[in-house]
Amino acid sequence: MKTKEILVVGAGIAGCAVALALAKRGIDVTILTSPFDQRFYHAPFIRHESLEEKVCDLQRERQEHLSCSRAHEQLAMLARQSIDELLEPNYLVDRNGNIDIHRCLQDQLKQHPQVEWISHHSVIELLTLDQHSLKKADRYKKPACIGVIAYNHETQRIEYYLAKETILATGGAPSLFPYSTHPSSACGGGIAIAYRAGARLLNMDQIQFHPLGLFEKERPCFPLPLGLLTEGGKILTSKISPVEVDLSSPSFLLHQLYDQLLKTRSEHLWLDLTLLDHLALKEQFPTVDTYCLNHGFNIVKDPLPIVPVAAYTCGGIAIDKAAQTTLLRLRAIGEVACTGLFWNFKEESLSVLESLTWALACAEDIAKQANKFIYYFPDLREGSSHLGASSSIVEEDWKFLRQTMWSYVGIHHDRAHLDRGCALLDQLSLLNTPHDLPSCSIEQIQLYYAIQTAQLIAHSVRAHGTFINCSARSSSFFQRGATDNMRLIAT
Ligand SMILES: Cc1cc2nc3c(=O)[nH]c(=O)nc-3n(C[C@H](O)[C@H](O)[C@H](O)COP(=O)(O)OP(=O)(O)OC[C@H]3O[C@@H](n4cnc5c(N)ncnc54)[C@H](O)[C@@H]3O)c2cc1C
């Protein structure tokens, strides 16, 4: 058993941002993160001017697209400060005008003496007072998280980490769908882990889809700008048959492309840019040009394979302005969390700004608490130190899970499809629910959590069906229990 001050789980933009904000306040922080396949990770590049513009807009704008007024106020107030504090010292803009935010944060963290890295560890459960304390009276205390149980991929052993505060930054769930902008590991495991421990979830139905993802087999699909179509790009079902599409809204386009895929039973469609002015195209879309060239596509010579893709999880673990969840000593940040903000495609840099802003607010709050709060650590009920052997069925079940999400829960979700989707997921969940976690392999545990998150999404979409404004819901922000709000947002 190891005891840490502050444990951050996950080393994406959100995890790195909060760890850096804590370290800058003189707080010892441990980042624990699972193995991450860098080959398949294309960090979001944020346009330099789009971040700057967004901060100015936030200060002017009323909350037209953004739903929770308190969350919007916080974003408008702290966004500039969070950029100054977390990015400015290491702000590198590439020749296309982009900032690699993840690298910028990581580089600062690597040099920081107060940051400890524990990589190749996957959290499989949260330690809570009511579930894991040996003292029976602890179950009558307020529900609290006291650390994590993690699987060490190198030693293949289970390890226990106690912490004053645990911060989940494990990312979203777009890769529950077969086509997503994210790495295949982004299946919302952290959401299911927190839910299992009793944390409240919010807006689980709100999955953002993007109509144009660059299709690459078994890899994340890079999101292509819709401007490629408005500039005259053509959609083809095969390399020779053009399809007329209505560009009046991204949502229309999304449904049309999805329908075309179903109709033609093809793996992907094509986007033909070859008839556009080559020089103008390269000049207007330099990031797309560079990305495509690096991945073997020449945008001015060949049509690009495209599919609609899941791009962002707007819902997740409900948090307040200091990233506090409904479980004491558990915070959440980034795509795993739901602040009550949501947006459409025009607001493209907001999720990153949201992570930076909440990282700052969370670190401030922890710094204040650390001086006035004595953290309680009980003796723990410990279990097995090993996991079970893996099973070959897991791969098939993953495929089935993603296909079910795509066909029954994804872009078209009428009642009949959702009923069928929920039933199939419930069945899959029954078949994969372990008697106890240590009897399973790490792959089975990850599948189990992915199925749980998929069920939460599917049941949430089915239960509500129509969008409920988040601001109307903000008074009940801290109720424990079911998940709310639904709709798929076409970005
Ligand atoms: C190609 C692309 C383009 C994008 N473009 C934009 C954009 O223009 N604007 C914008 O605002 N947003 C954009 N996004 C979305 C935004 O980048 C993501 O929402 C954001 O990166 C999520 O960061 P995160 O830190 O919350 O999660 P992630 O980056 O997914 O990081 C999660 C971390 O948690 C770790 N982890 C997961 N589970 C466990 C576990 N059980 N135990 C231990 N560790 C775990 C993972 O290994 C990883 O380190 C884009 C995303 C992509 C992929």
Side-chain angles (χ1 to χ4, degrees):
M1 180 111 42
K2 295 160 191 166
T3 304
K4 303 289 172 193
E5 280 286 307
I6 310 294
L7 191 64
V8 174
V9 184
I13 288 179
C16 289
V18 74
L20 184 62
L22 285 161
K24 284 186 172 218
R25 281 160 184 74
I27 297 170
D28 288 337
V29 53
T30 302
I31 302 176
L32 183 146
T33 191
S34 52
F36 194 57
D37 195 340
Q38 290 287 352
R39 286 173 305 150
F40 288 168
Y41 184 62
H42 34 255
F45 291 105
I46 304 299
R47 304 263 323 150
H48 174 246
E49 62 270 32
S50 107
L51 261 190
E52 294 300 327
E53 267 169 31
K54 193 42 63 194
V55 174
C56 298
D57 287 352
L58 281 171
Q59 263 119 32
R60 279 196 306 265
E61 257 171 31
R62 310 284 305 162
Q63 50 185 83
E64 275 164 44
H65 307 297
L66 308 164
S67 14
C68 175
S69 53
R70 284 175 301 160
H72 179 258
E73 269 163 35
Q74 166 146 307
L75 192 65
M77 212 165 65
L78 289 184
R80 177 74 262 170
Q81 193 186 330
S82 69
I83 292 178
D84 289 348
E85 182 179 322
L86 301 173
L87 300 181
E88 265 320 320
N90 199 26
Y91 211 87
L92 289 178
V93 180
D94 74 9
R95 68 192 164 91
N96 292 335
N98 299 314
I99 318 166
D100 184 339
I101 305 228
H102 194 227
R103 173 173 290 179
C104 170
L105 294 166
Q106 269 190 333
D107 287 351
Q108 295 178 75
L109 278 174
K110 279 186 186 141
Q111 299 157 9
H112 211 293
Q114 257 161 318
V115 178
E116 178 194 17
W117 286 86
I118 302 179
S119 52
H120 292 89
H121 280 61
S122 291
V123 167
I124 55 172
E125 199 172 355
L126 294 179
L127 289 168
T128 56
L129 272 188
D130 52 335
Q131 297 281 329
H132 299 94
S133 170
L134 275 178
K135 204 164 139 195
K136 288 221 163 75
D138 279 347
R139 70 181 64 157
Y140 305 114
K141 291 189 173 147
K142 280 193 180 159
C145 170
I146 45 177
V148 303
I149 306 178
Y151 176 72
N152 181 336
H153 290 262
E154 281 169 347
T155 62
Q156 300 182 349
R157 291 177 74 89
I158 295 178
E159 295 171 6
Y160 288 67
Y161 289 88
L162 287 169
K164 288 182 175 173
E165 298 265 354
T166 302
I167 305 173
L168 281 182
T170 49
S175 297
L176 285 174
F177 295 89
Y179 309 114
S180 120
T181 51
H182 288 45
S184 62
S185 54
C187 289
I191 296 175
I193 288 172
Y195 187 68
R196 179 181 163 92
R200 181 179 180 235
L201 308 182
L202 191 68
N203 300 350
M204 280 303 290
D205 55 290
Q206 291 186 9
I207 305 288
Q208 205 174 58
F209 279 82
H210 181 59
L212 293 185
L214 180 69
F215 174 84
E216 289 181 272
K217 236 187 167 86
E218 321 240 313
R219 294 178 68 114
C221 306
F222 187 78
L224 298 168
L226 299 190
L228 293 171
L229 279 179
T230 45
E231 288 301 317
K234 293 278 171 260
I235 300 284
L236 311 177
T237 49
S238 72
K239 286 196 183 188
I240 40 159
S241 348
V243 183
E244 279 311 311
V245 284
D246 180 347
L247 295 177
S248 54
S249 88
S251 174
F252 260 172
L253 180 64
L254 181 72
H255 285 92
Q256 289 169 86
L257 297 187
Y258 181 77
D259 286 345
Q260 279 300 332
L261 268 183
L262 289 189
K263 226 190 263 170
T264 54
R265 294 182 175 273
S266 43
E267 218 171 12
H268 57 77
L269 302 169
W270 298 93
L271 172 64
D272 187 4
L273 305 170
T274 56
L275 297 177
L276 304 188
D277 179 327
H278 293 186
L279 269 183
L281 187 62
K282 281 171 173 280
E283 211 172 277
Q284 206 178 340
F285 300 99
T287 311
V288 174
D289 182 37
T290 311
Y291 182 89
C292 286
L293 278 178
N294 290 340
H295 287 77
F297 304 102
N298 186 338
I299 59 172
V300 293
K301 276 200 178 146
D302 317 304
L304 304 173
I306 50 139
V307 275
V309 286
Y312 192 76
T313 321
C314 293
I317 307 166
I319 57 167
D320 71 3
K321 285 162 87 173
Q324 178 65 54
T325 71
T326 50
L327 270 189
L328 293 177
R329 293 166 64 178
L330 178 70
R331 301 184 191 235
I333 205 153
E335 202 172 332
V336 72
C338 177
T339 59
L341 295 177
F342 78 99
W343 44 83
N344 61 30
F345 185 62
K346 291 193 193 80
E347 320 285 352
E348 59 165 17
S349 302
L350 276 182
S351 75
V352 169
L353 272 185
E354 185 192 42
S355 289
L356 299 179
T357 301
W358 262 257
L360 204 69
C362 172
E364 275 292 321
D365 195 57
I366 289 179
K368 271 191 228 143
Q369 302 261 357
N371 296 332
K372 62 174 186 198
F373 189 56
I374 297 170
Y375 290 88
Y376 166 59
F377 291 110
D379 289 332
L380 288 191
R381 192 179 315 132
E382 284 190 57
S384 160
S385 60
H386 285 92
L387 291 182
S390 62
S391 138
S392 56
I393 295 179
V394 170
E395 264 311 302
E396 297 310 313
D397 280 359
W398 268 112
K399 280 187 210 148
F400 183 75
L401 170 64
R402 290 194 166 111
Q403 202 49 52
T404 304
M405 290 301 278
W406 184 247
S407 305
Y408 299 104
V409 185
I411 294 163
H412 280 321
H413 53 276
D414 60 25
R415 184 73 201 193
H417 279 78
L418 283 169
D419 282 347
R420 178 63 57 95
C422 288
L424 290 171
L425 291 171
D426 292 349
Q427 192 62 28
L428 194 60
S429 170
L430 263 181
L431 294 170
N432 282 284
T433 301
H435 285 304
D436 64 327
L437 287 183
S439 66
C440 304
S441 66
I442 185 68
E443 293 81 14
Q444 282 172 311
I445 293 174
Q446 284 164 340
L447 171 65
Y448 165 65
Y449 283 134
I451 298 169
Q452 301 284 296
T453 307
Q455 278 182 294
L456 288 162
I457 293 172
H459 282 277
S460 186
V461 175
R462 188 173 65 160
H464 298 266
T466 52
F467 174 67
I468 302 162
N469 194 312
C470 284
S471 54
R473 305 187 24 71
S474 52
S475 57
S476 59
F477 205 60
F478 269 90
Q479 282 164 12
R480 213 175 149 185
T483 66
D484 314 276
N485 273 9
M486 32 219 38
R487 135 171 128 159
L488 296 172
I489 303 167
T491 61

